[in-house]
Amino acid sequence: SLLFCTEHPFGHLIDTLQSEQYEERRYFNPQKLRDVRYEKLPFCMRVLLESTIRKCDGFYIKTDDVSSILDWQKQQNQAEVAFSPARVLLQDFTGIPAMVDLAAMRDALAKQGVDPNLVNPRCPTDLIVDHSLQIDYSKCAIQSPPSPMDESHGATTRSPAGRPSPRGSSSSGSHCSGQRPGHRGGCSKVSCSDAPSGRSAAVQIENTPLLCPFHLQPVSEPETMIRNQEMELIRNKERLQFFKWCSKAFKNINVVPPDINTVHQLNLEYLCQVVQEGEGFIYPDSVVGTDSHTTMINGLGILGWGVGGIESEAVMLGQPVSLTLPQVVGCKLVGTISPLATSIDIVLGITKHLRQAGIGGKFVEFFGPGVQQLSAPDRTTIANMCPEYNATVSFFPVDDITLQHFKHTICSEEKLVVLEDYLKAIKLFRSYSDQSEEPQYSEVIEMNLSSIVPHVSGPKRPQDRVAVTCMKEDFINCLNEKVGFKGFHISKEKQATQVPFLHEGAEYNLAHGSVVIAAVISCTNNCNPSVMLAAGLLAKKAIEAGLKVKPYIRTSLVPGSGIVTHYLNTSGVLPYLRKLGFEVVGYGCATCVGNTAPLPESVVDAIKQGDLVACGVLSGNRHLEGRLCDCVRANYLASPPLVVAYAIAGTVSINLETEPLGVNSEGKDVYLRDIWPSKEEVNHTEENIVIASMFKELRSRMEKGSSFWNSLESAESALFPWDPKSTYIRCPSFFNKLSKEACTPQSIEGAYPLLFLGDKVTTDHISPAGSIARVSAAAKYLQSKRLTPREFNSYGARRGNDAVMTRGTFASIKLQNRLIGKTGPRTLHIPSGQTLDVFEAAERYQRDGVPLIILAGKEYGSGSSRDWAAKGPYLMGVRAVIAESFEKIHRNHLVGMGIAPLQFLSGQNADSLELCGKERFTINIPQELTPRQQLVVQTSTGKSFSVTALFENDMDVAFFRHGGILKYVARIKFTRKH
């Protein structure tokens, strides 16, 4: 414990923070090193240094690590250091396999005679259940709440969907009775206990009230949200019971139940502390997380980045993160922001600028006069996108603007004073007026904010930005281009195709570019009220101008945070969004991860009939091809107001400057400029809505939880009672035959390629998170368990079942495997010449005792962090992946599972080496393996070539020797016990 600092190697740096406004606090003060290099360090490196000083134990973290960070200018990209973050952040898609692994580790150690209670997270861990929401219901008509004088008040009425809708069941004080012209009071809580589709399971949903926009009194939440929440809880009851067991069985873990908040929003609004207190000291907050949005927190001056699920488990169990000291790029912001540019435009502008600068794997730190024009929400939005330009973090040091944000959100007055005094004491507070504070960076990139104009990104990749003014021209070019990263190769004569169809009794036409999905969702934008309010104000003006959204377009609004719904309500714009079809469908990741409800059959038939390039428009940061819906080929990222605008237009093939969005009731053209809210309007609304009371109100909701969660039953035992009939939770086989000692590395003899892949193979290709196809290997397994397709749920929801996830590995319909020459989850079983499902082929190879490898091109494993993208191949028998390059987190995952990431030498690839993919490969691995060692690969055709083993440090080699991080940690637990 740090409380016993007499033997601490840096005990002489302990200082005391004193003031009449608070009790004294102790802290490690790097200033007392009296080393001039400290004040030249980038601010993010100072956070890293403080942690290394405080956690220095001579075992995991050594005094040499401190020296290396101080000497960062010379040691960057060379020295390896260990970093212990203050906390770990998990979402349920990655959290459930992590917790299942820990439960399985308890079982394995118990069989070895070790107390299973020794297996607990040592690092404080927050697990947020937010990724299980699916959109089953949208555009449900909401009946007006009855007046207090209504005789039917308290009676059960029928909703438009035919489902009983109890009214007036709220307790005293929970309904609005205020009177105002045009406003009906009597809004109340709703308790829903009817399970959809005749299911016998009863789920009680507490309808926590929103605030009436006229009287700031509670009103009932939309019917769509209630019904989607019902389905979420029915589908995921087993998973939730397991999480409830985890919250009781494991120490040092906090589980946040579903329907409270999304992980990244909760991290920003509730979990972040900026300055933590523990073990008798105060210290800077820091975090590693498995959610791709973890980097948002850097916008508040909190150092944090994404890690794989496997790495996060190791940190939870007390292992530090090992990293090569990064280069830190200083991004200097100058110029004045255009009043028409939203934060999304700024984000995408900076994203493109930094992507072109080639900053992969580096830290970015923002400075310069332009930073002061960015609000705290703007900064978190920018920091959120850093994975898209391949940076590890995008850091904004704490300054006056950040402090003002904390005053309205997370901080009491006392804590705010402590925070400011402490950060200034250790030189972590930024003042842009003092040029002497300028750190030294690896390099400096300057960006003029006045150069930013509104853009969207698409139609297939987030890095392909299109100016809104050029959207129509660019889409036509995409139709003309050959199939590739942007093209669809539609012949000229077919580009004017229009397909008529009937929907709800009315006839409509679909064409290339028609919008069929429009989603304002829980990624990127929700932390910034200005863009959401802009969408609401635009909707208000559109309704007032007589514009509508065509009813066949799948519209949805998934704010991801109760605070967003709150300020949309209190600002009075939510009813206008609803009228356009943008209903609040729930809180969680939905459209982004492929959980969109099916499109109307008539729409799907029309798309297929005309072979149309239909479009989805969403305000997230993920839109890979086919991810939203199989039949929607073009997907664009846009700011929330532009999502609404394109939904109104009904097409992306439009010039929003010169062509009207639609026609009003008087037959007059209405243009975007007619309804676009000014920056002054947005700012005025934001100033009057985003106030401290709203944060406090919703923080109370987060802490309260839900009645369903509070009443959920779960086991009380130290070991989890695995249910052999469960299709959600299953004890994985990672610890089967766990030996007490690690084996020496073994060469890979006579391996066949399971797959021969090209460039940009994403984790979506390797381990899909969306729905389970009815003809897939996973579907066959679930059907063998007597489940119907309606009960399959998604791969993401079943990550706690290794049998499902292994069968789902490489199950993407977009997988392009050169062994068979077409897309789909199939491969060639080379010995027999048969084309099989990838899982069936792997199963046959394993049965025959044949090891497997994967051949790939550039950026293997890009996309969202996904641990099953490494666990699945491991359980399939894959021993190595040979690729031109790897995404960093996925490389870490492979190492963490004991799979060797091997890189072709510079200038070489499978084609230049004339590999056909049907050879057998032998990879010679020496017993004394070292980081980045070159290994020799021999093929059955007599060819021989060298590859670089991408083990970055001795810790990576140790993990590989042990067969992965999990076995490494389990053996440490066993060793320490005995």
Side-chain angles (χ1 to χ4, degrees):
S1 172
L2 294 179
L3 292 173
F4 303 96
C5 292
T6 53
E7 298 180 4
H8 194 289
F10 293 100
H12 61 287
L13 301 185
I14 295 174
D15 212 337
T16 303
L17 200 65
Q18 294 179 320
S19 172
E20 294 179 356
Q21 296 177 267
Y22 50 79
E23 294 181 2
E24 68 177 37
R25 267 89 162 175
R26 293 199 303 165
Y27 65 100
F28 283 83
N29 189 354
Q31 291 271 80
K32 295 179 73 173
L33 288 168
R34 311 208 184 284
D35 193 314
V36 294
R37 293 174 296 177
Y38 177 70
E39 293 189 20
K40 293 300 181 182
L41 288 176
F43 282 71
C44 54
M45 288 295 101
R46 298 180 199 183
V47 176
L48 199 66
L49 178 66
E50 188 283 335
S51 173
T52 308
I53 288 172
R54 178 170 38 85
K55 287 289 189 177
C56 185
D57 60 2
F59 180 65
Y60 289 123
I61 300 178
K62 303 176 181 178
T63 56
D64 286 347
D65 293 328
V66 174
S67 299
S68 294
I69 298 174
L70 278 170
D71 202 25
W72 167 79
Q73 281 288 352
K74 296 179 180 178
Q75 296 294 333
Q76 54 186 295
N77 271 357
Q78 297 181 34
E80 288 289 326
V81 298
F83 170 57
S84 288
R87 54 192 175 91
V88 175
L89 184 70
L90 305 174
Q91 41 93 338
D92 54 312
F93 270 17
T94 49
I96 197 162
M99 300 315 298
V100 165
D101 289 347
L102 296 191
M105 188 184 294
R106 280 193 167 192
D107 281 10
L109 291 178
K111 291 175 183 176
Q112 299 275 8
V114 179
D115 182 4
N117 288 301
L118 291 176
V119 178
N120 286 294
R122 291 187 62 191
C123 183
T125 300
D126 296 292
L127 193 160
I128 291 83
V129 185
D130 77 324
H131 272 50
S132 56
L133 176 69
Q134 295 187 39
I135 303 173
D136 295 285
Y137 303 98
S138 65
K139 290 188 179 178
C140 292
I142 309 301
Q143 291 188 350
S144 299
S147 164
M149 303 302 293
D150 192 335
E151 293 179 1
S152 65
H153 189 62
T156 299
T157 60
R158 302 294 297 186
S159 70
R163 178 178 159 278
S165 178
R167 291 260 182 97
S169 58
S170 62
S171 59
S172 176
S174 66
H175 91 331
C176 171
S177 59
Q179 295 299 308
R180 176 175 173 147
H183 173 59
R184 304 180 71 190
C187 301
S188 62
K189 286 188 178 181
V190 178
S191 175
C192 303
S193 59
D194 294 347
S197 307
R199 296 292 298 264
S200 59
V203 178
Q204 295 291 331
I205 307 295
E206 179 182 346
N207 183 10
T208 307
L210 306 174
L211 292 186
C212 166
F214 293 103
H215 306 98
L216 298 184
Q217 295 295 319
V219 301
S220 59
E221 290 181 299
E223 178 78 2
T224 47
M225 185 192 310
I226 299 298
R227 299 187 72 182
N228 281 310
Q229 288 175 350
E230 281 184 339
M231 289 300 295
E232 178 184 7
L233 299 179
I234 288 171
R235 279 195 187 100
N236 297 287
K237 187 175 181 181
E238 280 185 55
R239 297 169 66 243
L240 296 176
Q241 285 177 319
F242 174 72
F243 284 137
K244 189 71 176 283
W245 171 81
C246 291
S247 69
K248 295 187 292 185
F250 292 104
K251 299 176 183 177
N252 225 11
I253 187 163
N254 170 45
V255 178
V256 178
D259 299 320
I260 298 296
N261 214 331
T262 54
V263 57
H264 43 290
Q265 288 298 118
L266 194 58
N267 193 24
L268 291 172
E269 297 170 8
Y270 182 66
L271 300 175
C272 73
Q273 297 297 312
V274 189
V275 174
Q276 294 273 10
E277 295 194 42
E279 297 182 304
F281 289 84
I282 59 173
Y283 49 92
D285 191 8
S286 57
V287 61
V288 292
T290 58
D291 185 73
S292 60
H293 304 282
T294 302
T295 54
M296 291 181 88
I297 205 67
N298 291 281
L300 299 180
I302 298 169
L303 186 62
W305 63 83
V307 295
I310 301 165
E311 283 180 298
S312 69
E313 293 176 47
V315 176
M316 289 165 63
L317 293 169
Q319 308 297 306
V321 176
S322 180
L323 75 156
T324 304
L325 275 179
Q327 292 184 355
V328 180
V329 176
C331 185
K332 186 175 184 178
L333 301 182
V334 298
T336 304
I337 299 172
S338 164
L340 292 179
T342 68
S343 62
I344 305 307
D345 299 315
I346 298 169
V347 167
L348 295 178
I350 291 175
T351 297
K352 181 178 181 180
H353 195 73
L354 294 179
R355 183 183 289 276
Q356 291 173 340
I359 56 169
K362 301 175 184 179
F363 283 20
V364 176
E365 186 167 294
F366 290 88
F367 73 107
V371 175
Q372 292 176 294
Q373 299 178 58
L374 303 177
S375 66
D378 287 335
R379 299 174 189 192
T380 57
T381 309
I382 292 167
N384 175 68
M385 291 295 279
C386 78
E388 300 302 335
Y389 44 81
N390 236 357
T392 304
V393 303
S394 291
F395 192 75
F396 288 84
V398 175
D399 61 6
D400 288 325
I401 292 174
T402 325
L403 286 183
Q404 190 66 22
H405 173 76
F406 291 141
K407 186 176 182 180
H408 289 295
T409 56
I410 66 170
C411 283
S412 64
E413 282 296 329
E414 178 184 323
K415 183 163 185 178
L416 199 65
V417 175
V418 172
L419 185 155
E420 184 173 359
D421 288 352
Y422 170 64
L423 293 180
K424 287 181 175 178
I426 63 171
K427 293 284 186 178
L428 277 178
F429 189 85
R430 190 73 160 93
S431 172
Y432 293 100
S433 61
D434 187 354
Q435 295 296 319
S436 66
E437 286 192 4
E438 297 278 315
Q440 292 180 352
Y441 295 107
S442 306
E443 61 177 302
V444 172
I445 298 172
E446 184 172 298
M447 180 164 189
N448 192 329
L449 296 176
S450 61
S451 66
I452 295 173
V453 295
H455 281 76
V456 298
S457 287
K460 299 182 182 183
R461 303 187 304 173
Q463 62 263 40
D464 296 324
R465 299 176 69 231
V466 184
V468 172
T469 53
C470 302
M471 181 65 162
K472 184 174 183 177
E473 178 185 352
D474 187 81
F475 181 74
I476 293 172
N477 289 338
C478 290
L479 295 181
N480 290 325
E481 287 182 20
K482 293 182 179 180
V483 174
F485 291 139
K486 290 200 69 172
F488 298 102
H489 203 212
I490 304 297
S491 61
K492 291 278 187 182
E493 59 271 17
K494 292 184 178 181
Q495 290 182 16
T497 299
Q498 290 200 10
V499 182
F501 69 99
L502 289 175
H503 179 76
E504 296 179 351
E507 183 172 315
Y508 300 93
N509 287 304
L510 284 185
H512 294 292
S514 290
V515 173
V516 294
I517 295 175
V520 178
I521 56 178
S522 63
C523 297
T524 303
N525 314 303
N526 299 345
C527 68
N528 194 323
S530 65
V531 290
M532 296 297 288
L533 289 171
L537 291 170
L538 187 142
K540 179 177 184 293
K541 291 189 171 190
I543 293 296
E544 292 170 347
L547 299 178
K548 297 179 181 179
V549 173
K550 294 179 177 65
Y552 61 80
I553 297 176
R554 181 69 71 187
T555 50
S556 60
L557 172 59
V558 186
S561 169
I563 192 170
V564 180
T565 307
H566 190 112
Y567 65 65
L568 291 177
N569 248 301
T570 54
S571 64
V573 299
L574 190 58
Y576 297 97
L577 285 164
R578 287 176 180 165
K579 197 164 184 179
L580 287 180
F582 290 93
E583 286 281 0
V584 176
V585 297
Y587 299 106
C589 288
T591 307
C592 234
V593 293
N595 288 348
T596 305
L599 297 175
E601 287 188 16
S602 58
V603 173
V604 175
D605 291 343
I607 293 172
K608 291 180 178 178
Q609 179 184 334
D611 190 26
L612 299 177
V613 180
C615 299
V617 187
L618 63 154
S619 59
N621 74 340
R622 284 284 193 276
H623 67 328
L624 303 173
E625 184 181 10
R627 187 170 191 171
L628 305 189
C629 183
D630 291 347
C631 62
V632 180
R633 285 190 273 173
N635 297 301
Y636 289 90
L637 301 182
S639 65
L642 282 177
V643 171
V644 177
Y646 280 114
I648 294 169
T651 180
V652 300
S653 187
I654 180 174
N655 186 321
L656 293 177
E657 275 194 337
T658 60
E659 297 180 60
L661 290 179
V663 179
N664 64 15
S665 57
E666 299 174 355
K668 182 181 177 182
D669 288 341
V670 180
Y671 293 83
L672 179 63
R673 59 178 174 270
D674 299 327
I675 62 172
W676 187 269
S678 68
K679 192 170 184 180
E680 290 73 24
E681 287 178 276
V682 175
N683 287 344
H684 175 76
T685 306
E686 184 176 7
E687 292 277 337
N688 288 274
I689 301 305
V690 185
I691 55 177
S693 61
M694 292 173 18
F695 280 89
K696 291 177 182 177
E697 175 79 21
L698 289 163
R699 278 167 55 83
S700 173
R701 180 185 179 189
M702 296 172 203
E703 293 167 353
K704 179 182 176 183
S706 67
S707 57
F708 172 83
W709 175 264
N710 296 336
S711 62
L712 190 65
E713 295 181 357
S714 62
E716 302 286 343
S717 55
L719 298 177
F720 183 70
W722 307 98
D723 180 359
K725 296 180 181 179
S726 174
T727 57
Y728 278 99
I729 308 295
R730 205 175 95 126
C731 186
S733 57
F734 303 131
F735 298 100
N736 288 0
K737 300 178 182 178
L738 177 67
S739 60
K740 297 178 182 178
E741 300 292 336
C743 301
T744 56
Q746 301 293 314
S747 293
I748 301 171
E749 304 279 352
Y752 274 120
L754 177 63
L755 297 160
F756 188 6
L757 306 172
D759 297 339
K760 286 275 187 181
V761 174
T762 71
T763 51
D764 275 335
H765 292 116
I766 304 170
S767 183
S771 58
I772 299 173
R774 297 189 179 195
V775 296
S776 63
K780 293 175 187 176
Y781 168 81
L782 293 173
Q783 286 170 335
S784 74
K785 300 294 183 180
R786 301 193 161 199
L787 294 184
T788 64
R790 184 172 182 175
E791 298 169 307
F792 285 174
N793 210 327
S794 65
Y795 283 112
R798 293 192 180 274
R799 285 186 180 182
N801 185 321
D802 62 317
V804 171
M805 296 308 296
T806 306
R807 287 165 172 81
T809 303
F810 297 111
S812 170
I813 60 170
K814 298 295 181 181
L815 186 71
Q816 294 185 330
N817 179 12
R818 293 173 63 178
L819 288 179
I820 60 172
K822 58 183 179 180
T823 60
R826 309 270 287 173
T827 194
L828 180 70
H829 181 255
I830 298 169
S832 67
Q834 291 181 282
T835 299
L836 305 171
D837 285 343
V838 176
F839 172 78
E840 292 173 358
E843 197 174 37
R844 188 176 295 186
Y845 280 123
Q846 283 191 302
R847 205 164 45 234
D848 296 337
V850 177
L852 297 171
I853 64 168
I854 291 170
L855 297 175
K858 300 182 181 73
E859 297 184 50
Y860 179 80
S862 57
S864 302
S865 164
R866 204 161 287 172
D867 59 342
W868 271 106
K871 289 179 176 178
Y874 170 82
L875 292 177
M876 281 182 160
V878 174
R879 298 283 305 282
V881 178
I882 306 177
E884 289 184 69
S885 64
F886 293 83
E887 195 277 334
K888 183 179 179 181
I889 291 180
H890 187 64
R891 182 210 69 84
N892 294 342
H893 273 187
L894 294 174
V895 173
M897 287 309 302
I899 297 175
L902 307 178
Q903 187 173 42
F904 289 109
L905 299 185
S906 179
Q908 293 185 349
N909 56 34
D911 291 332
S912 68
L913 294 169
E914 298 182 345
L915 303 176
C916 70
K918 297 180 182 179
E919 305 92 340
R920 299 194 76 165
F921 293 77
T922 295
I923 304 168
N924 300 304
I925 301 178
Q927 292 189 1
E928 299 300 325
L929 186 62
T930 58
R932 299 194 68 86
Q933 185 172 353
Q934 286 195 5
L935 308 179
V936 176
V937 181
Q938 295 172 311
T939 71
S940 55
T941 59
K943 291 179 182 175
S944 178
F945 59 95
S946 294
V947 293
T948 302
L950 295 185
F951 303 116
E952 299 295 343
N953 48 57
D954 292 335
M955 189 72 78
D956 280 357
V957 174
F959 291 157
F960 181 71
R961 286 185 59 251
H962 281 265
I965 290 177
L966 296 175
K967 292 180 180 178
Y968 173 81
V969 173
R971 289 188 178 108
I972 288 176
K973 294 287 181 185
F974 185 84
T975 302
R976 289 185 176 177
K977 176 65 178 177
H978 293 279

